[in-house]
Amino acid sequence: MDLLKLNAFPSVAANATCSLSTNQLSGYALHGLVFELGGTTFPESDITRIQARVNGKDLVNNMSGSQLLSLNKYEGLPDETSELFLFFGDPTARTIRGQHLGDVDFSVYDYPLEIQVDIGGATAPTLQCYALVGVPKQQMGIGYTAKEAAIIRALPRTVIQPAAAVSLQAYAVSIGSSPGARIRRVAFFNSNLTAVQLQKQSLMKWQNVSDTLNSAVQSQFARDPQSGLYVLDRVMDGNQGESESTVTPDGKSWNIQVALTTSAADTITTFADIFTTLPGL
C-alpha cells in the first residue's frame, strides 16, 4: 500500500469544523484514513464529529474521536499517541481478500472524498490527513469480481433511547437505504446495556448474550472489549465471509430483529458496521 498526504484542511481551529474535499484518490482503492493530530493539546477526545462522504453518501458521520478509538481498540489495534485511524478495509482479517473487501474503490466511484472534522476544546490544534491506498481492487490480482469491487465498508448511525429498563425489547438499527447490506458488527455505545439478542426470522443467532459473556467470548479471539461498548460481532474471528446477510439468495429481505436488555434508561449510540455499495447507503 501507499501512504498519500492529502491536501491541507483550509482552516483548523478549536471549536470549529475543518472541511476538505479532494480528488486525490481517483483511481485508487482507499484502505483507510490516518488523522495526524498536533498542536499544544489535541487528544482524540477533542474530536466531536468525524464525517467521510462520497457523492452525497455518508460512509461515516457523527462518530466522535473517542468512539472511533474505542472501536479500533476493540479490534485489537494499538492506540497511537498522535494518530487516529479510520479503516474501510480490515487489517485484522484472516485473508488478503477479506482485508481489502471494504476498501473504497475510487475507480468504481469516481467522485471526490469529502472529510469533515469537528474539533472541540483543543489548544492550538493542527490536523493533517493521510490516505492508505492501493491499486483498484480488480487490479490486485486476488480475484475480486466487479460486484466485489463495488463493495465498501460503512458505519450508519442510529440512536436508541429506552426510557426505562427494558427486557429483550426490539429496536430498529439502520443498515442503509437499500436491501442487500451484510452486517459485520453492530456497536452499541451505552451506559446501562446488559444483554443483546439477534434473531433472523426463526433462526436464533445470538441469544440474550450478557455483556460479561460477550466480552469473555470476544477476548478468546484477540479482541479487546471496551468499557461502555457492547459489540455484536459477526466477524470476531476475522472471517469476513461470516458477515450477516440481510437478503435471501432470491433477493427478499430477511426479518432481522435486534433486541436489547438494559438495567435503566439509556441513550445508546449505535453504529452498524456493514458491507454495502455506495447507492445502498
Side-chain angles (χ1 to χ4, degrees):
M1 282 183 286
D2 297 334
L3 185 60
L4 303 182
K5 185 176 183 178
L6 298 184
N7 295 331
F9 289 94
S11 176
V12 176
N15 302 306
T17 298
C18 311
S19 300
L20 174 65
S21 179
T22 178
N23 282 307
Q24 292 169 271
L25 303 183
S26 180
Y28 289 103
L30 174 64
H31 188 64
L33 296 173
V34 185
F35 297 94
E36 187 178 56
L37 283 57
T40 304
T41 306
F42 187 14
E44 294 91 345
S45 58
D46 281 334
I47 294 178
T48 58
R49 182 181 71 97
I50 297 172
Q51 179 188 48
R53 172 179 285 196
V54 177
N55 195 33
K57 302 284 189 175
D58 285 334
L59 308 180
V60 62
N61 194 8
N62 284 325
M63 180 179 288
S64 71
S66 295
Q67 289 168 337
L68 178 55
L69 180 61
S70 290
L71 288 174
N72 289 344
K73 289 170 71 174
Y74 163 77
E75 292 194 45
L77 302 175
D79 177 7
E80 303 295 343
T81 302
S82 301
E83 290 79 27
L84 180 63
F85 292 80
L86 172 58
F87 284 104
F88 299 102
D90 186 347
T92 72
R94 289 293 183 94
T95 67
I96 297 299
R97 291 187 84 255
Q99 182 176 322
H100 291 284
L101 186 59
D103 290 7
V104 184
D105 193 329
F106 284 91
S107 72
V108 177
Y109 303 115
D110 192 13
Y111 306 105
L113 173 65
E114 300 172 48
I115 303 169
Q116 284 193 346
V117 178
D118 288 357
I119 300 175
T123 304
T126 64
L127 180 64
Q128 177 64 53
C129 191
Y130 295 80
L132 277 165
V133 298
V135 298
K137 290 183 192 175
Q138 289 192 281
Q139 295 181 25
M140 290 182 181
I142 51 178
Y144 284 127
T145 64
K147 184 177 180 179
E148 289 171 325
I151 290 174
I152 59 174
R153 179 194 181 208
L155 295 115
R157 178 179 183 264
T158 306
V159 177
I160 298 170
Q161 293 181 296
V166 295
S167 179
L168 292 178
Q169 177 66 49
Y171 291 96
V173 174
S174 175
I175 54 172
S177 62
S178 300
R182 297 183 66 93
I183 301 170
R184 300 177 68 249
R185 301 185 175 103
V186 184
F188 302 92
F189 289 92
N190 70 90
S191 298
N192 297 306
L193 181 62
T194 58
V196 174
Q197 180 165 289
L198 174 66
Q199 187 168 348
K200 189 170 165 179
Q201 296 198 181
S202 61
L203 301 173
M204 187 62 69
K205 310 291 285 188
W206 199 248
Q207 189 167 4
N208 198 21
V209 178
S210 71
D211 179 62
T212 301
L213 175 58
N214 190 41
S215 295
V217 172
Q218 291 168 347
S219 295
Q220 302 305 305
F221 291 91
R223 304 303 180 184
D224 185 9
Q226 300 293 302
S227 177
L229 172 63
Y230 186 113
V231 181
L232 173 60
D233 197 344
R234 309 307 295 155
V235 295
M236 74 174 77
D237 64 349
N239 179 6
Q240 308 304 302
E242 291 183 349
S243 55
E244 197 68 55
S245 62
T246 59
V247 294
T248 64
D250 59 0
K252 296 179 181 178
S253 295
W254 285 106
N255 178 19
I256 295 177
Q257 290 188 339
V258 176
L260 307 183
T261 297
T262 68
S263 59
D266 207 347
T267 296
I268 304 172
T269 303
T270 305
F271 293 95
D273 186 336
I274 60 174
F275 286 138
T276 187
T277 63
L278 199 63
L281 289 173

